[in-house]
Amino acid sequence: GKKKLTTSSCRFLMERKLGAVDYNVLNELRLERSFLDVVISVNGVEFPAHKNVLCCSSPYFRTLFSNRCDSKDKKIFTIPGISPEMMEMIITFAYNQTVPVTSENAEQLLVVAHQFNIPGLIRLCSNFLESRLCLRNCIGICKLAYHYCCLELHLKAFRFILHQFEDLVRESEEFLLLSFTELCDIIERDDLNVRNESLVFNAVMKWIYHQPEDRKSLLRKLLLKVRLALRDSENFLENIRSYEHMRNKEYKMSIYIALLQMIYDLGVKESATPHLACSMAHSRLPNSILLAIGGWRGSNPTNAIEAYDARAKVWREVLHEEDSPRAYHGTVFVKGYVYVIGGCDKVKFYNRVCRYDPVQRVWQEVAPTHSRRCYVSVVVLNDVIYAMGGFDGYTRLKTAEKYNLEKNQWTLLPSMNDRRSDASAATLHRKIYICGGFSGEDYLITAEVFNPKVNQWSLITPMSTPRSGLGVVAYKDEVYAVGGFDGLNRLDTVEAYNPLTGLWRTVSSMSTPRSNFGIETMEDLLYVVGGYDGFTTFATVKYYNKENDKWKDIPNITVDRSALSCCVMSGLPNIQTYAAARDTSGYGICFRPSEKLSYKTNV
Ligand SMILES: *[C@@H]1O[C@H](CO)[C@@H](O)[C@H](O)[C@H]1NC(C)=O
Ligand SMILES: *[C@@H]1O[C@H](CO)[C@@H](O)[C@H](O)[C@H]1NC(C)=O
């Protein structure tokens, strides 16, 4: 026969998180109208149901059915303050443990799920809203989640706001409607993702200008949260002058005065307490970290790892549970792990592959490559790692293989046209480019492309010069080939390949010849780290900016070396571990909407 749910079995099932209930049976009972013992009435619409099922689903119903002395035998319960459509959803959820969530109903559903205290339904709505997070709605969702205590969603939405702040200020209408406290909560965060403070300054101006009369008095308080140093503030005055849209002279004047006042305050403060001035201007946390891993120093390989914080412009040593020293390896960051592939130490050529978990800070060995690959080229494309060429101790390789992360498995690819050891590779527009290298006889001028769609290598236009031990990276729609060794000299020349034209063009030279350095791009800049000039390994680091076609020196790494490999980590929950140490005394608490929820989210 059919099982009847008793109160005690209900409690038992609640404790088991409802895992063992056969909801199909319950639903059948409802549809057959068997054992129905309650009617929920909403706005004249009646929903017959089972008390026990509703009790299991929501404490609201448990209280409703048990608290009142007359409720024991009562059959019909009228519930105000909810629409019949929403009650239908709640009851369907009680029986099916799921309901169709849509952009139209998600917000309302979250509100009633909260009202009726149904964790499963709250989670369903939260997950849906999270999947819809975008510039248009993230502020609304953040407020909604806060209001209805969806902590995880709130945190995700808030992180989204911090991370996309630059675009948000440019595109979001919701941004202009933030309250003063809400804006403060955002701009005082260390982990606000902005490349420089003028973006924060401009955001404040834009927000004030939206309602100048009400907001201009808040300017000074807001400017205190912009991490200005005196040396920057003159720029801001210039900035204001160029604000064409500020037609109102009087208003423009009042902003000027506030700025002058602030500059004066900053001047007084900085001359009185230089250390305070520093901490006021202390930089925000970076969103990405550049890693320099391993390499060759003097006559030994090293396992040193250093992390570059581009906001603070500081290198920091990464302490980690050690991996063995290696050089001439390749590294990539993919799905939260740093993979280190191939390379060698003083005796062995490696087929070893290790991965580093930057959150737990531990190393783990994964499946080895088929061939030993020292001087290997490594890239990642669509979450698949590719290892190409190299030297196995006997010959230079033209073979290549790819690694499936889920299966922890390497499979061979078609071979390249040339044997390439000490080449370098990059991915651009879903294709892999590998350039130069040493074949065992020649320093290579050739380059080739692999298209995973057709599983095929083809040669492209050769470079202007042979390059072995070069750096190759994709940067702003081109493939850059940087430095290297042509068989006679270390090179400081740079060229870039445009796949649309199939041509190489000359780029500003680095002006210091180098081979076997680390190369990466981060936040629209191209970095080269360390290397070898034919006499010695060095520690200098530079970046190239395509905007002005110029190279610029940045601070040295601590451990000078060549044959290192670089990769960029982003989106880590513990980015502080890798960033420069900061004064965290002002570390803000989370976004707290100050106003009653008064508008709709744009899901
Ligand atoms: C700040 O960053 C923006 C966007 O990247 C850039 O346009 C601007 O020139 C930068 N300002 C300064 C002072 O570096
Ligand atoms: C950086 O390193 C280079 C060589 O590796 C050295 O000549 C130079 O003095 C270093 N610069 C600083 C500021 O330490």
Side-chain angles (χ1 to χ4, degrees), residues 166 195-196 198-199 235:
E166 284 189 39
R195 266 172 277 183
N196 60 48
S198 61
L199 292 156
N235 291 341

Side-chain angles (χ1 to χ4, degrees), residues 536-541 554-557 560:
T536 176
T537 53
F538 47 84
T540 56
V541 184
I554 61 165
N556 283 358
I557 40 175
D560 62 278

Side-chain angles (χ1 to χ4, degrees), residues 282-561:
H282 85 77
S283 55
R284 312 235 178 215
L285 279 169
N287 183 59
S288 313
I289 289 279
L290 174 65
L291 288 183
I293 299 175
W296 203 269
R297 184 191 198 201
S299 51
N300 286 301
T302 170
N303 62 1
I305 300 182
E306 291 180 60
Y308 184 64
D309 175 339
R311 302 270 199 270
K313 300 186 172 55
V314 168
W315 285 94
R316 172 173 183 174
E317 189 186 350
V318 175
L319 300 170
H320 60 98
E321 199 183 279
E322 314 239 312
D323 183 38
S324 38
R326 62 169 121 190
Y328 299 106
H329 52 288
T331 61
V332 284
F333 178 72
V334 51
K335 295 216 152 170
Y337 291 95
V338 174
Y339 288 82
V340 179
I341 295 143
C344 61
D345 60 18
K346 279 182 96 162
V347 245
K348 286 191 301 284
F349 295 91
Y350 284 152
N351 56 0
R352 274 180 69 209
V353 179
C354 291
R355 71 175 195 189
Y356 173 65
D357 176 341
V359 177
Q360 305 296 329
R361 297 205 265 171
V362 291
W363 286 95
Q364 185 190 10
E365 193 157 338
V366 297
T369 48
H370 289 281
S371 305
R372 298 178 183 277
R373 295 181 188 274
C374 184
Y375 313 102
V376 64
S377 303
V378 174
V379 295
V380 62
L381 174 59
N382 291 338
D383 295 337
V384 175
I385 301 173
Y386 292 79
M388 295 153 284
F391 180 55
D392 63 6
Y394 303 99
T395 92
R396 320 281 157 174
L397 303 170
K398 57 161 62 173
T399 61
E401 44 192 307
K402 66 177 179 182
Y403 178 71
N404 179 310
L405 273 65
E406 267 83 48
K407 294 191 187 145
N408 184 29
Q409 195 176 63
W410 289 92
T411 38
L412 280 172
L413 293 170
S415 288
M416 298 180 287
N417 290 290
D418 284 316
R419 298 177 182 279
R420 294 180 193 276
S421 161
D422 222 0
S424 182
T427 54
L428 177 65
H429 303 154
R430 306 188 166 271
K431 289 181 182 156
I432 298 169
Y433 292 83
I434 186 165
C435 309
F438 180 61
S439 69
E441 288 162 5
D442 297 315
Y443 295 91
L444 298 172
I445 195 169
T446 60
E448 44 193 307
V449 60
F450 181 72
N451 183 348
K453 259 204 190 130
V454 294
N455 206 34
Q456 200 170 21
W457 289 98
S458 19
L459 286 164
I460 60 170
T461 316
M463 299 178 287
S464 66
T465 173
R467 295 176 191 272
S468 179
L470 76 167
V472 170
V473 78
Y475 175 53
K476 303 208 172 190
D477 296 323
E478 291 177 301
V479 177
Y480 281 68
V482 182
F485 179 60
D486 66 4
L488 289 171
N489 297 303
R490 309 289 142 178
L491 305 171
D492 61 1
T493 57
V494 180
E495 52 193 309
Y497 176 78
N498 181 340
L500 294 179
T501 60
L503 296 176
W504 292 90
R505 68 179 178 90
T506 305
V507 175
S508 252
S509 115
M510 287 185 287
S511 73
T512 42
R514 63 174 90 204
S515 70
N516 301 99
F517 47 92
I519 189 164
E520 253 298 0
T521 58
M522 185 165 73
E523 296 191 330
D524 294 335
L525 300 173
L526 186 167
Y527 290 84
V528 295
V529 182
Y532 182 64
D533 63 7
F535 305 99
T536 176
T537 53
F538 47 84
T540 56
V541 184
K542 284 171 184 271
Y543 69 68
Y544 170 75
N545 186 352
K546 189 175 177 180
E547 301 271 293
N548 57 14
D549 191 29
K550 283 208 167 85
W551 289 88
K552 191 167 187 288
D553 288 311
I554 61 165
N556 283 358
I557 40 175
T558 317
V559 179
D560 62 278
R561 49 193 142 142

